[in-house]
Amino acid sequence: MMVKICGITRREDAEAAVEAGASALGFIFYPKSPRYVTPSVAAALGKGFDHILKVGIFVDESPAAIEAIMATAKLDVAQVYGDAIPKNTRVWKAFRPADLANPLNNQPANPLTNRPAHPLPHASEPRASASGWTLTANTEAILLDGPANGISFDWTSARDPDHKIIIAGGLDASNVADAIRIAKPWGVDASSKLESAPGVKDHQKMRAFIKAAQEAK
């Protein structure tokens, strides 16, 4: 199980997450977020964790900006909210329910059973799957997030055998095992539910979350 701790802003939190067994650390490059960090700060926060995935979170950034930040921050993966997918970067494509609204009734669609009417924009050779998504060749996983920060969604909608699915939104030690049991994802991602204040991780909550995710079946 890939376990990501997102919204890292402090070196001590990064160290605690890695020590507890996290697979990935997430750094937010959306300036409106209270967890925003600059690329140079992210590089320092992730320095030395060579066996851990360093993930940048991008919202409506251009491919060129994403690739430039990735290089400066020394990241491994771009988690992208928005349509602009960089060509030369390992990508986790992120969706919230509102991103996939049904055009007929403007209601949120089931992100995996009610596919978007048009293929996802692609910057490189697309690959199709039996379940109907068209993804860029460099898209490794689909991250399904809640409708807002710290809010979960119906995990039954996330089961998909064709893709690596990452569940995010409202996860902590109390519910991550249920999310894994229901959705059978490739990975899980948590941030705000593991904090004592925005951007300040509670190390006990992090350890409990990682342990629960790793032990879930």
Side-chain angles (χ1 to χ4, degrees):
M1 180 62 56
M2 192 287 299
V3 182
K4 173 169 162 272
I5 304 298
C6 199
I8 295 291
T9 65
R10 306 189 308 165
R11 177 71 183 191
E12 57 263 43
D13 295 343
E15 291 173 347
V18 171
E19 183 179 348
S23 314
L25 302 175
F27 305 101
I28 296 176
F29 299 103
Y30 182 52
K32 294 182 180 180
S33 171
R35 300 165 188 87
Y36 169 78
V37 293
T38 64
S40 59
V41 167
L45 291 172
K47 187 176 181 180
F49 300 134
D50 297 334
H51 62 296
I52 301 296
L53 290 174
K54 273 81 71 179
V55 183
I57 289 78
F58 301 94
V59 179
D60 297 327
E61 286 282 5
S62 69
I66 292 172
E67 291 181 350
I69 292 170
M70 294 280 292
T72 300
K74 303 185 185 308
L75 304 178
D76 304 299
V77 182
Q79 180 179 312
V80 178
Y81 292 81
D83 293 337
I85 306 298
K87 292 181 181 180
N88 303 312
T89 299
R90 184 176 175 184
V91 171
W92 295 350
K93 184 68 178 74
F95 295 98
R96 296 187 188 273
D99 296 332
L100 301 174
N102 187 322
L104 298 179
N105 58 19
N106 202 33
Q107 295 300 310
N110 177 326
L112 291 174
T113 60
N114 188 355
R115 309 296 177 182
H118 303 287
L120 299 178
H122 56 83
S124 56
E125 187 65 26
R127 70 178 191 274
S129 73
S131 58
W133 291 95
T134 300
L135 300 172
T136 63
N138 58 327
T139 299
E140 177 182 35
I142 295 170
L143 183 140
L144 298 177
D145 205 348
N149 289 339
I151 305 297
S152 62
F153 64 97
D154 178 8
W155 298 315
T156 61
S157 67
R159 296 197 69 164
D160 184 81
D162 296 329
H163 299 100
K164 291 180 175 179
I165 301 297
I166 303 168
I167 300 295
L171 293 180
D172 60 16
S174 72
N175 61 10
V176 68
D178 286 338
I180 291 170
R181 176 179 55 81
I182 292 168
K184 307 296 184 187
W186 175 68
V188 290
D189 182 340
S191 179
S192 62
K193 291 287 188 177
L194 309 182
E195 294 180 334
S196 57
V200 179
K201 296 294 186 275
D202 182 308
H203 295 184
Q204 183 175 349
K205 289 180 180 179
M206 279 201 305
R207 287 192 293 268
F209 170 75
I210 293 168
K211 184 174 186 291
Q214 292 173 337
E215 294 179 351
K217 297 179 181 179

